[in-house]
Amino acid sequence: MDELGKTEAALVAARRENLAALRSRGSDPFAARRFEVEATAAELLERYGFLVPGQDASAEGWSIAGRMLSKRTMGKTSFADLADRTGKLQLYIRKEEVGERAFDDWGDLDRGDLIGVRGYMFRSKLGEPTLHVTSFSVLGKALMPLPDKWHGLQDVEKRYRQRYVDLIVSPDVRDVMIMRSRLIAEMRRFIDSYGFYEVETPTLLHVAGGAAARPFVTECNALDQTMQLRIATELNLKRLIVAGLERFYEIGRIFRNEGIDTTHSPEFTMLELYAAYWDVSDMMEFNEALIAHLVSVATDGGTELPHGDATISFARPFARIEYLDAMARHSGGAYTRERLLDSGGAQHILRELGIPPSPSHSHALDKIFERVVEPHLTAPTFVTGYPVVVSPLAKRRENDPDIVDRYELFCASMEISNAFTELNDPDDQRARFAAQVAERAAGNEEIPEPDWDYVRALEYGMPPTAGIGIGVDRLIMLLTAQRSIRDVMLFPLQRQHG
RNA sequence: GCGCCUUUAGCUCAGUCGGUAGAGCAGCGGCCUUUUAAGCCGUUGGUCCCGGGUUCGAGUCCCGGAGGGCGCACCA
């Protein structure tokens, strides 16, 4: 634990004195067990919105609990702000009504203390709906001082490291986290309405596969074996397609041992969903409906999201463009199919762009796309038809075997989802894994070791299937207009210091 | 990994040309029966991120380091 500075120690000491005073009057904050909460702040504000200044509803008593965020005492009366999970409610208390002993307790309350109060609603002279307190109990004491009541917590590092403090004093942050929870619940509800099961698959794996990323490595003591944290849920989920579950999804934590920036976190939440007998076009319809629905929820029925100084429209249908057409369009026709689908041609384009050479054809294509096309994808856009070299798990097009039936949805220059018709031909899959072995041997550490049992699963027969992965955190960023992925995570990873 | 910015009281921030550290809030002591960043009077509180260096003298200048933010690189 960090040592306290002298000033801070004095503040804590003052609060401990108030704690002792409360205990001496039999009001030990830490002795409280439970409190019967009859209403929330939001409920009382809603219910008594009709009161006019000076009017009260003293016939109806309510109890409410929360944290006292400020106190304004004027001799024998006092106002305070009480915050619960739904918002803030002003409290009003008079010494002559609650008695000296209770009012002394009130005087020993510090900003941040937890209390339960009973009283009735009225509207104050200045028009604020307020609970007139007739009795209260102290339910917990804040020994540590809260940040500045006006400016709140501005220190970004402290906000992430002590998120509990940030959440106490920053309503905006709390609102984002609550909206995140609502949106994920809404995602589940929407998906469930299509008859999907929610499943959970292991995060600890012997070989992390299904994506290209460096894994976290750990030890399993009981097995005395090295394990990896999953980098995708894809392969296990498709085993469940083989198993016959047909429609299911997983919303789970994924771990990638790579860079950290405003759109990348080492652990993040991914939605992966699979539907037997769907193809990529079915998935695109579903994806578009899901996103449009979530935009509607986030904006109270709207179709536009704020993004920086602009707004982005999510009115359906979203834009659609073929991968190769997008490359051609944004290069003035210079990046042709022939050049892109040839490994040497792609490397040559990299040189033209001044990008260092890539270890593989697939890597080169991703670099080119990222540089040339992605910055233009502000409005929601489905980019369709990816080269097979960047899609080792997707099914080739019937009439164009160099291209797979896949799309990625981009928005605000971020990749939001990635979907394809799944490759279910075990021989083709085996061949593509074998090609990856070569790439891995050539030094691309992000290429996973092949999961040969997955190929064996395909040999039992997998129906035609479409699958999708959606980066939940990035989607929440979009829906809540946050510029950093850390701002949609409760406890973002920070370096340990000391 | 590279660049830019940043770190001063519990919190939010000033700190000039290098001259011995300031405000507001919070806290503490008063006054105050409808306030809301309550108000008024008084007052406590400092490892200026850490370590070196230059200097008579460093929060300030120089070097090194740490944490954080942003950008680049990296990142299916």
Side-chain angles (χ1 to χ4, degrees):
Chain A
M1 184 170 171
D2 296 337
E3 276 186 42
L4 299 186
K6 278 182 192 165
T7 310
E8 192 173 19
L11 293 174
V12 171
R15 283 161 179 264
R16 285 196 178 276
E17 282 177 28
N18 288 339
L19 171 63
L22 286 167
R23 282 177 165 153
S24 74
R25 270 181 238 107
S27 307
D28 186 346
F30 297 116
R33 299 276 150 181
R34 76 182 298 278
F35 185 81
E36 190 67 32
V37 178
E38 296 169 350
T40 63
E43 284 165 7
L44 291 180
L45 291 174
E46 164 75 21
R47 187 176 181 114
Y48 292 101
F50 65 87
L51 292 170
V52 299
Q55 187 186 5
D56 68 46
S58 56
E60 296 160 42
W62 296 96
S63 66
I64 181 172
R67 189 184 292 271
M68 179 187 276
L69 289 187
S70 66
K71 190 168 71 169
R72 300 174 288 282
T73 298
M74 294 138 294
K76 300 189 180 70
T77 71
S78 183
F79 285 89
D81 292 321
L82 185 76
D84 69 10
R85 69 184 181 283
T86 68
K88 269 196 224 176
L89 181 68
Q90 182 170 258
L91 307 178
Y92 175 62
I93 189 167
R94 304 176 60 159
K95 180 177 182 177
E96 69 174 25
E97 290 173 1
V98 297
E100 183 158 353
R101 179 195 173 99
F103 203 72
D104 284 347
D105 278 358
W106 187 266
D108 287 322
L109 291 179
D110 290 300
R111 183 156 171 269
D113 286 355
L114 298 151
I115 56 175
V117 305
R118 168 156 281 283
Y120 58 87
M121 289 297 290
F122 76 109
R123 191 181 288 270
S124 74
K125 267 186 194 167
L126 294 180
E128 174 125 1
T130 305
L131 188 84
H132 191 126
V133 176
T134 52
S135 64
F136 70 96
S137 12
V138 192
L139 304 178
K141 191 126 193 67
L143 295 173
M144 294 292 283
L146 256 38
D148 189 285
K149 66 182 172 189
W150 183 245
H151 301 94
L153 195 57
Q154 299 297 322
D155 183 318
V156 177
E157 180 181 356
K158 196 159 288 190
R159 286 186 42 222
Y160 293 146
R161 288 192 192 275
Q162 291 184 264
R163 189 63 111 174
Y164 43 92
V165 178
D166 191 29
L167 286 163
I168 289 170
V169 299
S170 308
D172 293 352
V173 175
R174 205 199 47 186
D175 289 348
V176 168
M177 299 307 167
I178 289 174
M179 181 57 84
R180 176 185 176 123
S181 170
R182 272 191 61 200
L183 288 166
I184 292 176
E186 198 56 44
M187 270 171 59
R188 283 202 168 88
R189 204 195 58 72
F190 184 94
I191 294 167
D192 290 347
S193 75
Y194 282 72
F196 286 82
Y197 305 117
E198 181 168 5
V199 300
E200 293 174 278
T201 62
T203 50
L204 282 173
L205 302 169
H206 290 101
V207 178
R214 272 187 281 269
F216 285 92
V217 176
T218 187
E219 294 298 322
C220 175
N221 290 341
L223 301 183
D224 191 23
Q225 285 185 330
T226 299
M227 308 289 292
Q228 299 182 344
L229 271 57
R230 68 183 178 190
I231 58 174
T233 44
E234 175 139 0
L235 298 182
N236 266 334
L237 290 180
K238 282 194 283 192
R239 284 181 170 90
L240 297 178
I241 286 288
V242 170
L245 293 192
E246 293 187 353
R247 288 189 183 196
F248 53 83
Y249 65 101
E250 176 162 10
I251 296 176
R253 203 62 66 88
I254 301 294
F255 305 87
R256 295 188 181 174
N257 205 345
E258 290 173 347
I260 303 177
D261 62 33
T262 48
T263 55
H264 295 82
S265 169
E267 54 176 312
F268 61 99
T269 301
M270 176 103 96
L271 162 67
E272 279 198 41
L273 173 144
Y274 293 84
Y277 312 113
W278 284 14
D279 71 5
V280 74
S281 305
D282 299 310
M283 191 59 85
M284 199 183 300
E285 283 299 306
F286 179 81
N287 193 173
E288 193 181 87
L290 172 63
I291 300 292
H293 176 65
L294 294 175
V295 170
S296 171
V297 170
T299 60
D300 244 345
T303 57
E304 291 191 339
L305 291 174
H307 181 253
D309 297 329
T311 60
I312 301 178
S313 169
F314 286 80
R316 299 180 67 181
F318 300 168
R320 287 155 167 76
I321 187 168
E322 282 273 301
Y323 177 93
L324 291 172
D325 293 343
M327 287 286 218
R329 176 183 298 178
H330 295 292
S331 65
Y335 304 158
T336 60
R337 174 189 173 109
E338 287 63 37
R339 296 182 71 191
L340 290 166
L341 295 190
D342 176 68
S343 186
Q347 296 289 355
H348 189 77
I349 292 171
L350 276 188
R351 272 202 302 283
E352 288 174 10
L353 290 170
I355 301 173
S358 285
S360 67
H361 187 192
S362 62
H363 189 264
L365 287 178
D366 287 331
K367 291 283 103 184
I368 296 166
F369 187 87
E370 195 177 294
R371 171 73 67 89
V372 173
V373 180
E374 227 178 89
H376 300 284
L377 302 177
T378 307
T381 305
F382 289 111
V383 177
T384 58
Y386 278 67
V388 68
V389 288
V390 297
S391 315
L393 299 161
K395 195 164 189 150
R396 298 172 200 268
R397 283 186 173 165
E398 206 170 2
N399 52 358
D400 189 356
D402 291 331
I403 302 295
V404 296
D405 274 323
R406 170 182 174 189
Y407 73 79
E408 289 194 348
L409 174 61
F410 288 87
C411 190
S413 300
M414 286 190 296
E415 179 196 336
I416 298 295
S417 37
N418 175 24
F420 40 88
T421 303
E422 303 295 340
L423 175 61
N424 62 348
D425 176 344
D427 295 332
D428 193 353
Q429 187 67 74
R430 186 181 294 106
R432 295 200 211 173
F433 276 174
Q436 286 195 326
V437 173
E439 194 173 330
R440 189 178 158 82
N444 191 343
E445 284 181 57
E446 283 156 11
I447 301 297
E449 286 177 49
D451 183 340
W452 297 115
D453 176 74
Y454 173 69
V455 177
R456 178 166 60 182
L458 293 185
E459 286 173 334
Y460 282 84
M462 183 167 99
T465 297
I468 184 173
I470 297 180
V472 171
D473 310 274
R474 288 180 181 181
L475 182 57
I476 302 291
M477 283 172 67
L478 211 55
L479 293 166
T480 58
Q482 299 300 303
R483 48 185 35 248
S484 169
I485 197 167
R486 297 181 199 91
D487 291 327
V488 298
M489 310 183 97
L490 283 168
F491 298 102
L493 183 63
Q494 297 276 288
R495 188 180 293 272
Q496 180 121 41
H497 61 172

